[in-house]
């Protein structure tokens, strides 16, 4: 995509799996995160350290600043903002298959 590399390097582009996209949209762009199970599917995750792997990022030429924060599968990530009502609804779990 034309201009994507420049946007990524400036921190104006995000990457994630479907859970990241859902969380981003439900929180109106406040939370950019994923869990370990989904992060492991990207081929950029180190299953030994449970963190993004800087060496793999270099191999695939992926700027690390576009990757979501990795969090546990069960915690309150944030709140759905005015989706179904004026009440903030906690988003408290993410899991891959």
């Amino acid at each position: 995509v034309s201009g994507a590399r420049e946007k990524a390097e400036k921190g104006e582009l995000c990457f994630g799996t479907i859970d990241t996209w859902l969380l981003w949209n439900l929180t109106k762009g406040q939370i950019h995160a994923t869990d370990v199970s989904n992060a492991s599917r990207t081929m950029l995750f180190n299953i030994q350290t449970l963190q993004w792997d800087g060496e793999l990022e270099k191999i695939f030429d992926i700027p690390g600043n576009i990757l979501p924060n990795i969090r546990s599968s069960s915690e309150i990530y944030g709140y759905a903002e005015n989706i179904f009502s004026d009440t903030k609804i906690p988003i408290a779990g993410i899991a891959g298959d």
Side-chain angles (χ1 to χ4, degrees):
V1 175
S2 179
R5 171 67 54 184
E6 293 79 22
K7 286 185 177 189
E9 290 170 354
K10 291 183 202 175
E12 298 173 352
L13 186 69
C14 296
F15 166 84
T17 55
I18 188 66
D19 62 300
T20 307
W21 182 83
L22 287 168
L23 186 60
W24 176 264
N25 283 287
L26 288 171
T27 63
K28 306 244 180 185
Q30 293 181 36
I31 308 294
H32 184 231
T34 191
D35 80 317
V36 172
S37 66
N38 287 290
S40 69
R41 307 300 356 140
T42 65
M43 295 184 62
L44 299 170
F45 181 72
N46 184 313
I47 61 171
Q48 302 300 320
T49 65
L50 302 180
Q51 298 178 355
W52 296 118
D53 191 311
E55 189 173 325
L56 292 172
E57 291 169 25
K58 288 178 188 171
I59 289 169
F60 291 109
D61 194 24
I62 303 291
N65 65 326
I66 69 170
L67 300 174
N69 293 319
I70 299 170
R71 295 170 56 178
S72 73
S73 295
S74 179
E75 65 178 87
I76 295 178
Y77 294 90
Y79 296 85
E81 298 286 332
N82 300 321
I83 301 295
F84 304 109
S85 71
D86 290 339
T87 304
K88 291 184 177 183
I89 302 169
I91 302 167
I94 292 178
D97 55 68

